Amino acid sequence: MAENQWSTAITSVKPNEIRVRGYRLDELMGRVSFGEAVYLILRGERPGAAVGRLVEAMLVASIDHGVTPPSTLAVRNAASTGASLNACIASGALAVNRHHGGAVEDCMRLLARGAARVAAGADLAAAARALIGEEKTAGRRLPGFGHRIHTDDPRSYRLLVLAREAGTAAAHVGVAEAIVAELAAGGKALPLNVDGAIAAVLADLGFDPELANGFFILARTAGWMAQVIEERRREKPMRRIDQGAAVYDGPASRELTQG
Ligand SMILES: CC(C)(COP(=O)(O)OP(=O)(O)OC[C@H]1O[C@@H](n2cnc3c(N)ncnc32)[C@H](O)[C@@H]1OP(=O)(O)O)[C@@H](O)C(=O)NCCC(=O)NCCS
């Protein structure tokens, strides 16, 4: 064994053969969804079809949210300076933090505290009340809850439906829903935002919180690419970007069945 040898368990490469976690990449292509491939590379095993669909839905949920998110404004600002695509995307990724996009990790850790209480015998409502109280006392906002625009985030609702269909919704989803219910009962309603829903679903799937924000960045990269190209094609360099002045002029609302 060479003195400088080290090991990797992710991908093996030899001439004309690439295997990810043991599976031939060319065989995975066209057979597994990107969501399944993401699960495979991160967890080492293929998910069942339903979990693959759930991971895929998480990625679709985060693909874009118009021009107002801070990371998208960072991307647009970088694009308006003439920055390369890579630099624009990096600007967006750097703007994913605790208050935006990056609430997933903090929320996973919060929900894990709640799930531990449930495992120790507390009911969901009591666990939720304890978490709300602890965060309030510490002067922290509840990560994964609240939204500047939505009072009932449609992405969160759909993700939780898919988690139930996949049979993976467990204590973390339960605690997240209980927090929403307790806040509403206390007269200070906050919706579960998409970061919070992704956090609950990822936690019930057993993902490591350290990976959490990567899911948002992975998905939103596609949206940022569209934002960079549109900024370059439509706007003049170094413009003053007023997020409130943007008007949507894309396709009118249409149904999936319309193609
Ligand atoms: C996303 C967020 C910044 C949107 O905030 P907003 O709707 O503009 O709300 P404001 O900052 O104006 O706050 C309004 C009130 O709600 C409270 N509030 C909002 N979100 C809260 C949260 N997550 N936990 C506790 N209180 C919250 C504020 O403290 C404030 O209370 P006050 O009126 O008593 O001062 C905010 O909900 C938040 O910080 N959420 C946590 C981080 C998060 O999940 N980010 C991901 C967003 S997708």
Side-chain angles (χ1 to χ4, degrees):
M1 188 195 297
E3 202 188 313
N4 62 349
Q5 181 173 309
W6 58 289
S7 306
T8 173
I10 306 170
T11 302
S12 64
V13 181
K14 55 187 182 191
N16 307 328
E17 188 182 294
I18 310 155
R19 288 180 182 268
V20 172
R21 301 293 190 188
Y23 293 105
R24 270 179 49 183
L25 193 51
D26 52 323
E27 284 188 353
L28 292 172
M29 289 162 63
R31 290 192 178 86
V32 304
S33 68
F34 188 56
E36 287 175 76
V38 167
Y39 186 100
L40 171 66
I41 202 155
L42 295 175
R43 302 293 290 272
E45 297 298 332
R46 288 178 63 190
V51 171
R53 219 170 126 235
L54 184 58
V55 175
E56 188 85 356
M58 253 185 264
L59 297 173
V60 173
S62 305
I63 198 159
D64 199 51
H65 192 267
V67 298
T68 59
S71 59
T72 303
L73 291 168
V75 164
R76 288 252 176 190
N77 267 307
S80 82
T81 70
S84 67
L85 180 70
N86 310 30
C88 296
I89 300 299
S91 305
L94 290 171
V96 172
N97 292 299
R98 163 158 291 142
H99 302 305
H100 159 59
V104 185
E105 180 174 344
D106 288 343
C107 186
M108 281 180 84
R109 296 188 192 284
L110 177 87
L111 298 177
R113 278 162 42 209
R117 278 198 154 84
V118 172
D123 66 26
L124 288 172
R129 274 195 303 276
L131 292 176
I132 294 168
E134 285 166 13
E135 294 309 286
K136 196 170 179 188
T137 306
R140 289 190 295 256
R141 288 180 172 211
L142 289 157
F145 298 83
H147 200 279
R148 289 192 302 188
I149 297 169
H150 310 298
T151 53
D152 194 5
D153 194 324
R155 300 164 296 181
S156 307
Y157 176 75
R158 176 75 179 144
L159 267 182
L160 298 194
V161 166
L162 289 170
R164 290 213 157 84
E165 278 176 19
T168 66
H172 300 88
V173 164
V175 172
E177 289 177 323
I179 290 176
V180 171
E182 287 299 316
L183 287 170
K188 187 116 198 201
L190 290 173
L192 178 66
N193 62 42
V194 72
D195 288 26
I198 290 175
V201 170
L202 286 177
D204 275 342
L205 285 173
F207 275 93
D208 187 331
E210 269 188 83
L211 288 169
N213 297 347
F215 280 90
F216 182 88
I217 293 168
L218 183 62
R220 188 56 63 88
T221 294
W224 291 332
M225 288 162 69
Q227 301 280 350
V228 171
I229 297 305
E230 189 177 82
E231 181 69 25
R232 284 185 185 163
R233 300 268 194 280
R234 289 186 168 196
E235 306 298 339
K236 62 176 191 167
M238 274 187 66
R239 70 183 176 110
R240 289 173 203 276
I241 301 180
D242 176 354
Q243 55 170 279
V247 177
Y248 175 77
D249 68 353
S253 304
R254 45 183 164 171
E255 301 305 319
L256 266 180
T257 46
Q258 286 174 256

